[in-house]
Amino acid sequence: MSNLLLDCTLRDGGYINNWDFGENAILDIINKLENSNVDIIEIGFLKKEEYKSNRTVYNKMQQISKQINPKKKNHLYAAMIEVVNPIPLEDLEPCSEKTVDIIRVIVWKRLLKEGFEYCKGIVEKGYKLCVQPARVDQYSYEEYRDMINLFNTLNPLAIYVVDSWGTQYREDILEYVKIADKYLRPEISIGYHGHNNLMQAFGIADAFLHYDTQRNKIIDASIAGIGRGAGNLNTELWAKYINEKHDNIYNLLPIVEIYEKYIKSLQEKYIWGYSQSYFLTAKYGCNPNYGNYYTEKGISLSKINEILQNLSDEDKIMFSKEKANNYLSKDY
């Protein structure tokens, strides 16, 4: 049984700076992540939009291939695709020694059939597939079981438990892990991707690590927790923990160097990580973009609380500035 660390700094971290890390920085971050010995390096998003060499958003696999070749042994390389904005499968180069090894697909519950068909095409192209069901808490246990059984037929590398909005506690996540462990084919791994709205990412990852199973596990993290909303599990904290409590396999210095050279300046300019506004979005189970938007506008926490508790079920999920402003103008 293997426990793998996936670093998603260049992908999830891109929500903070619009994926604009800079061309040279991208190459250096990849190189340093290789030197840190993290198991899986996520390079960025594959999306149907204009490509710019300074961003980790790509519309063709060849653009990624230029940044990862020659690939280093003992590493896997990944890219992510959202089923709501995918690149056409006919534009996706078949998997080879020059491409990423893994494609992770964010699957929305309301687009489950479309997501399955797209994932089927990914597998047919020869890629290892990771299925990322967004906001796992929106699935009943029966629905999650059915989703597992559906994607079982594709024999993916892994199916994830994704706490997109950081609303779950360890016992909540482990219930989904138990279902996945029970119904997945034996060779399929389970992954965990969490956010820190309730400061639970590390504790849940630890509980997941020690969950008794014969399956491989994949745990996502990013340097300094950089990522959407309250951010992710910290790569440096998790790597240190694994080194001291389990196997001394990760080199922490390159991770610290990435932070000092590239992430620290972002942290001085942008906001991510735990905050009271993100706590409130988790409290009401709504899109964390509301917390970020209202905070940037200088809205008081009491007003944010008042607005969030009055969001409709639909508006909790789908954020827009227009919606946020409409709620802001109401007198409750």
Side-chain angles (χ1 to χ4, degrees):
M1 182 186 72
S2 299
N3 297 302
L4 305 179
L5 169 58
L6 182 151
D7 182 90
C8 58
T9 299
L10 289 170
R11 197 273 310 170
D12 209 335
Y15 283 105
I16 299 302
N17 62 348
N18 195 31
W19 295 275
D20 185 1
F21 290 92
E23 186 172 2
N24 292 332
I26 294 168
L27 296 174
D28 194 32
I29 290 171
I30 292 171
N31 178 254
K32 283 180 167 57
L33 286 173
E34 290 169 337
N35 292 337
S36 74
N37 295 327
V38 299
D39 304 287
I40 305 172
I41 302 169
E42 189 171 55
I43 307 301
F45 267 116
L46 279 163
K47 289 187 176 184
K48 192 177 180 181
E49 63 178 67
E50 180 184 4
Y51 170 65
K52 295 181 180 179
S53 61
N54 57 300
R55 301 177 71 230
T56 53
V57 177
Y58 311 87
N59 58 41
K60 293 186 183 300
M61 184 59 71
Q62 294 93 324
Q63 296 155 358
I64 298 178
S65 296
K66 291 179 181 179
Q67 296 180 329
I68 62 174
N69 280 292
K71 294 193 291 186
K72 302 292 177 63
K73 293 182 179 180
N74 302 320
H75 296 285
L76 292 171
Y77 299 80
M80 181 168 274
I81 294 176
E82 292 178 294
V83 75
V84 292
N85 184 26
I87 61 170
L89 283 170
E90 56 267 26
D91 291 346
L92 181 62
E93 178 183 343
C95 186
S96 71
E97 292 182 358
K98 294 184 178 181
T99 69
V100 298
D101 309 285
I102 301 167
I103 291 182
R104 311 207 299 163
V105 180
I106 300 175
V107 178
W108 287 22
K109 184 180 177 183
R110 66 179 177 85
L111 296 173
L112 206 56
K113 291 182 179 180
E114 294 89 338
F116 175 81
E117 291 301 321
Y118 192 84
C119 287
K120 182 178 178 182
I122 295 295
V123 173
E124 290 172 350
K125 292 276 186 174
Y127 292 94
K128 301 178 190 297
L129 169 69
C130 286
V131 181
Q132 317 281 138
R135 293 179 52 234
V136 70
D137 54 293
Q138 69 182 309
Y139 291 83
S140 69
Y141 296 147
E142 292 76 16
E143 289 170 336
Y144 190 68
R145 177 202 63 199
D146 293 344
M147 187 275 297
I148 291 289
N149 288 331
L150 175 65
F151 283 95
N152 248 339
T153 61
L154 299 180
N155 199 34
L157 171 69
I159 292 183
Y160 265 67
V161 180
V162 182
D163 186 12
S164 307
W165 292 352
T167 62
Q168 303 300 289
Y169 294 101
R170 67 180 66 191
E171 59 269 22
D172 304 317
I173 293 298
L174 289 181
E175 283 300 317
Y176 289 102
V177 171
K178 290 176 184 177
I179 294 168
D181 192 33
K182 181 176 180 179
Y183 291 101
L184 280 175
R185 290 179 175 178
E187 64 273 19
I188 299 174
S189 304
I190 304 175
Y192 166 66
H193 181 94
H195 283 259
N196 254 329
N197 299 62
L198 297 175
M199 293 295 286
Q200 295 296 303
F202 191 99
I204 292 174
D206 188 31
F208 175 54
L209 178 72
H210 291 96
Y211 177 79
D212 187 16
T213 179
Q214 296 304 306
R215 297 180 186 279
N216 293 335
K217 301 168 187 170
I218 305 174
I219 293 176
D220 292 5
S222 63
I223 296 172
I226 187 172
R228 185 181 182 187
N232 305 292
L233 173 67
N234 292 48
T235 298
E236 64 278 8
L237 295 180
W238 189 251
K240 176 181 180 295
Y241 177 70
I242 296 298
N243 282 355
E244 294 183 0
K245 301 297 183 181
H246 298 275
D247 302 302
N248 189 21
I249 55 176
Y250 299 118
N251 183 2
L252 300 180
L253 182 58
I255 298 173
V256 173
E257 290 174 340
I258 293 172
Y259 172 78
E260 184 173 45
K261 195 170 182 180
Y262 304 109
I263 309 300
K264 182 180 178 181
S265 59
L266 294 176
Q267 206 166 36
E268 293 168 351
K269 184 177 180 181
Y270 301 101
I271 299 173
W272 74 85
Y274 175 78
S275 70
Q276 295 294 312
S277 59
Y278 289 138
F279 162 72
L280 290 174
T281 63
K283 176 183 176 183
Y284 293 109
C286 62
N287 193 313
N289 286 344
Y290 283 103
N292 182 59
Y293 183 71
Y294 289 137
T295 298
E296 288 185 346
K297 290 185 75 69
I299 307 304
S300 69
L301 289 170
S302 59
K303 182 65 174 179
I304 294 174
N305 182 80
E306 185 178 54
I307 293 171
L308 297 184
Q309 68 181 341
N310 283 284
L311 291 177
S312 69
D313 290 341
E314 180 181 353
D315 288 346
K316 283 182 178 181
I317 298 170
M318 302 299 293
F319 167 85
S320 73
K321 292 182 179 179
E322 181 181 2
K323 289 178 183 178
N325 287 332
N326 285 340
Y327 278 98
L328 188 58
S329 65
K330 293 179 180 178
D331 183 2
Y332 298 102

